[in-house]
Amino acid sequence: MSRDFDEGPVRTWDGPVLPAAGPDPSDHLQYMRLALDQAQESPPKPSNFRVGALLVDADTGAILSRGYTLECEGNTHAEQCCLLKFAKAHDLPEERVGEALPPNTVIYTTMEPCNLRLSGNLSCADRIIRTKGKGGEQSIKKVYLGVKEPEKFVGDNEGRKKLEENSVECVHVPGLEERILSVATAGHEL
Ligand code: HJL
Ligand code: ZN
């Protein structure tokens, strides 16, 4: 194409700076809101809480998996469903999911992971702790939680304590407690 006039220097955008296209890994409230969206998908049941969870690659901000209470077959918890779904997508059994997780994986869950289940199933604290890479290093190093588990079913839940004793850091993300608890307890008898 011929140019018969001087267009001058290349014009650059001098308007407002647009937000980055991808999710921001430091915006914990943003992920907790998405976890709460998951919790709302869970069917109300009087004998447990409706919880939502996300697995996130903290290096890139990418959401690796989402899950909610009773999403997967059987009596399944939100954190467990996240792990199960990611494992399945990588052709692994859940107990080996750590081998496919990025080295800096974190989990967002609307409620502190359980340490004791009335059904006798393996707790989510133990499921998180057993996520190890091929070299034996911990895959999930951090848990962001929206609320502590209310003392309704198992008394004082020691999930956070158990995780921290096993070098998995737990961080409370404040701001959505009321909403999280109202979603979690929908379906409970008054
Ligand atoms: C978390 C969940 C969920 C709970 N907690 N963090 N995620 N449902 O998805 C904790 C509660 C147990 C009860 C009943 N709930 O679920 O303490 O039947 O749901 O094994 O102890 O035990 P089962
Ligand atoms: Zn659990």
Side-chain angles (χ1 to χ4, degrees):
M1 219 212 310
S2 70
R3 282 160 60 105
D4 51 13
F5 63 94
D6 183 6
E7 289 173 348
V10 174
R11 298 268 298 273
T12 53
W13 173 249
D14 57 2
V17 177
L18 297 169
D24 173 2
S26 67
D27 188 351
H28 305 305
L29 200 53
Q30 159 202 239
Y31 291 110
M32 197 54 77
R33 283 201 189 93
L34 294 173
L36 182 54
D37 288 345
Q38 288 294 301
Q40 278 170 296
E41 299 290 322
S42 179
K45 197 179 166 187
S47 55
N48 68 13
F49 296 108
R50 296 166 79 214
V51 177
L54 305 179
L55 281 175
V56 173
D57 181 344
D59 288 332
T60 64
I63 295 169
L64 305 169
S65 183
R66 301 170 199 244
Y68 56 83
T69 312
L70 302 178
E71 178 185 13
C72 295
E73 208 188 318
N75 180 0
T76 47
H77 279 191
E79 302 91 322
Q80 178 185 3
C81 291
C82 271
L83 294 166
L84 267 171
K85 287 164 73 182
F86 189 83
K88 198 166 176 215
H90 291 81
D91 283 327
L92 287 169
E94 191 211 323
E95 54 270 30
R96 286 180 54 203
V97 66
E99 295 173 27
L101 288 169
N104 204 4
T105 302
V106 298
I107 185 162
Y108 287 82
T109 176
T110 55
M111 188 173 287
E112 172 191 16
C114 65
N115 187 45
L116 176 69
R117 297 186 55 170
L118 294 181
S119 61
N121 285 331
L122 185 69
S123 76
C124 293
D126 286 326
R127 290 172 197 273
I128 292 167
I129 291 163
R130 74 175 174 182
T131 62
K132 310 276 187 209
K134 284 208 175 88
E137 70 288 358
Q138 185 68 36
S139 299
I140 300 181
K141 298 186 186 71
K142 219 181 245 195
V143 175
Y144 291 97
L145 56 99
V147 294
K148 180 170 171 54
E149 181 180 329
E151 294 196 6
K152 193 161 195 164
F153 300 116
V154 296
D156 188 20
N157 172 29
E158 298 202 321
R160 178 172 188 160
K161 186 166 170 263
K162 173 86 176 274
L163 287 159
E164 284 171 342
E165 281 168 2
N166 285 274
S167 309
V168 180
E169 194 186 336
C170 294
V171 180
H172 173 225
V173 178
L176 298 171
E177 291 85 349
E178 221 176 296
R179 191 82 200 104
I180 286 173
L181 287 171
S182 105
V183 170
T185 56
H188 288 189
E189 276 134 38
L190 296 175

